[in-house]
Amino acid sequence: MAGGRVAVDGAQIVWVGAADQPGAPDGEIRDLGRGVLLPGLVNAHCHLELSHLYGHIDRSHGFVAWVRALVDARRVGDSGRVRSGAQRALRDLFRGGTAALGDVSNELQHLGVLAAAGIRTVIFYELIAWEPTKTAEVLEAALHRRSTLEHSLRGSGASVRLAAHAPHSVSAEFLRALVAAGGPAAIHLAESAAESRFLLCGDGDWRVFLAERGLGQVAFHPPGCSPVAYADSLGVLRPGLVAAHCVEIDAADARTLAERGVHVALCPRSNRALGNRMPPLPLMLEAGVRLCLGTDSLASVDSLDVLQDAALLHREFPEVDAHTLLRMATRGGAEALGFDELGTLEPGRRAALAFAPSDVELEDPLEFLLSGDARTQRVAL
Ligand SMILES: [Zn+2]
């Protein structure tokens, strides 16, 4: 709506309408100038703990080579750099009007900076366990750590949910055990051709990678199906799961994701940077998949701004309705993370507002938001 107004009382939106519409509550009026007001953005899949690696991981040799470089770089990282990198990234997200995050973490070293950030966060405590014999040990330690963290995070607005890395880095035994324990709440799924190949035939680049890491002797019987079908056969696909990527999927997989109530966090800029496919967005929309956006980490993309991912999808799929893309960057993410109070400009929702200023009068605000040129900022109340 052009010339719209949003009335805020405390932390809540209480009225939304046009400037000349009767019924607006009295109070101080602030004119934000030319631009677009929108709900705070929701980044449903990122890895703040990798922010210090920005610019340090070669992305030019494809997905498996990138994973190899990332694993090696993390081995020599120190916790001080991890924390300060996460803190810088959080500051940029907060200033840029991101209201909520799904933050995937293996190490949980940066949680102290989250508590002070002013952004609602779900921490996906991500577990990697390829050796089936380690299932009980890894899960028990994770459950214990989670209960300790929940105690220390009380009152911070952050919560911790158990997550699995991916179907080609976590054994079937571990995934079944995680399902029995109520998880996983997040997973990387159908991200690369290497993953699909490995699950189909048990060979390819991922087999080489596992052998390099000393895991070549671990018995693995490839299920001979797609990553989505495999995850479904283990009971992983359930309502509330946030599955990142899902680019290597067909129409049957899309229907499965929709029927199981899975939220899919698309991260197209990361896919492009690592030489993976673009997500088959029209296919997913047709199947009714619940969609949101993530950025993945600064080890694969240049910013944690989900509006840039929406802009890339807009360029790739100009036939997709612009409202649908903007919803994915806002309300879709809020639904995926369980933050019902966020994601739209409606009375009753939390007043987490973002504003994208423009130098010129805008004829098509949505087109501007999805142009790649719009930069949002938080509206301080
Ligand atoms: Zn990720």
Side-chain angles (χ1 to χ4, degrees):
M1 141 190 354
R5 277 190 192 167
V6 173
V8 172
D9 186 4
Q12 223 181 32
I13 296 173
V14 293
W15 184 89
V16 178
D20 55 1
Q21 199 173 313
D26 292 335
E28 178 204 346
I29 294 175
R30 196 185 330 163
D31 185 353
L32 296 173
R34 276 195 295 239
V36 189
L37 185 67
L38 66 156
L41 299 169
V42 180
N43 186 338
H45 179 90
C46 65
H47 303 248
L48 290 175
E49 69 184 3
L50 303 181
S51 301
H52 66 292
L53 297 173
Y54 176 62
H56 292 286
I57 311 293
D58 187 354
R59 308 180 293 200
S60 62
H61 295 97
F63 178 71
V64 175
W66 176 83
V67 173
R68 190 176 282 126
L70 180 66
V71 170
D72 289 343
R74 291 188 76 180
R75 231 170 236 169
V76 294
D78 71 83
S79 56
R81 285 183 63 216
V82 170
R83 272 196 294 275
S84 58
Q87 196 157 25
R88 272 195 305 277
L90 268 169
R91 190 191 54 212
D92 290 348
L93 283 162
F94 182 70
R95 288 178 181 164
T98 293
L101 287 179
D103 181 24
V104 181
S105 174
N106 310 112
E107 304 292 336
L108 308 174
Q109 291 174 338
H110 65 292
L111 302 194
V113 303
L114 277 174
I119 298 179
R120 300 297 307 273
T121 306
V122 172
I123 299 150
F124 293 119
Y125 178 14
E126 183 185 76
L127 307 168
I128 301 176
W130 185 240
E131 290 163 278
T133 50
K134 297 205 169 155
T135 294
E137 176 191 333
V138 173
L139 190 58
E140 219 165 276
L143 287 167
H144 181 259
R145 195 154 182 212
R146 184 182 64 169
S147 64
T148 313
L149 282 169
E150 274 174 345
H151 189 70
S152 65
L153 286 168
R154 202 163 290 159
S156 72
S159 63
V160 184
R161 301 177 195 168
L162 295 184
H165 175 256
H168 58 312
S169 60
V170 174
S171 70
E173 288 81 352
F174 191 84
L175 282 171
R176 279 196 207 97
L178 207 45
V179 168
I187 192 166
H188 295 80
L189 187 64
E191 179 177 4
S192 69
E195 173 188 347
S196 296
R197 169 85 197 191
F198 184 64
L199 295 179
L200 200 60
C201 310
D203 61 3
D205 288 350
W206 193 256
R207 164 61 71 191
V208 173
F209 175 80
L210 288 175
E212 282 170 11
R213 302 286 141 179
L215 296 169
Q217 84 293 352
V218 177
F220 175 64
H221 307 290
C225 61
S226 74
V228 167
Y230 175 54
D232 194 36
S233 74
L234 297 171
V236 170
L237 306 186
R238 303 196 295 194
L241 172 74
V242 181
H245 302 295
C246 294
V247 304
E248 297 281 335
I249 66 166
D250 62 15
D253 290 333
R255 281 195 299 276
T256 301
L257 291 166
E259 282 164 14
R260 299 289 182 267
V262 173
H263 294 269
V264 174
L266 304 180
C267 309
R269 283 186 304 151
S270 179
N271 301 143
R272 169 133 308 162
L274 302 182
N276 291 325
R277 284 172 55 192
M278 279 289 103
L281 181 56
L283 191 108
M284 289 175 158
L285 289 170
E286 192 175 333
V289 180
R290 293 153 187 79
L291 293 171
C292 55
L293 293 177
T295 54
D296 235 328
S297 75
L298 290 175
S300 63
V301 294
D302 297 331
S303 79
L304 301 183
D305 178 3
V306 284
L307 206 53
Q308 297 308 312
D309 287 276
L312 175 54
L313 290 177
H314 187 51
R315 285 197 295 280
E316 291 290 317
F317 304 100
E319 71 278 20
V320 171
D321 175 52
H323 276 108
T324 300
L325 295 174
L326 187 60
R327 190 185 191 284
M328 287 164 59
T330 52
R331 184 66 187 161
E335 288 171 349
L337 300 178
F339 294 131
D340 188 49
E341 72 278 21
L342 297 173
T344 62
L345 299 183
E346 285 178 286
R349 299 252 194 255
R350 198 165 137 240
L353 309 175
F355 184 70
S358 163
D359 294 335
V360 296
E361 212 60 57
L362 293 170
E363 280 183 22
D364 188 338
L366 270 176
E367 196 56 43
F368 168 63
L369 284 180
L370 298 174
S371 65
D373 295 329
R375 295 291 180 274
T376 52
Q377 45 194 242
R378 172 179 172 264
V379 178
L381 299 171

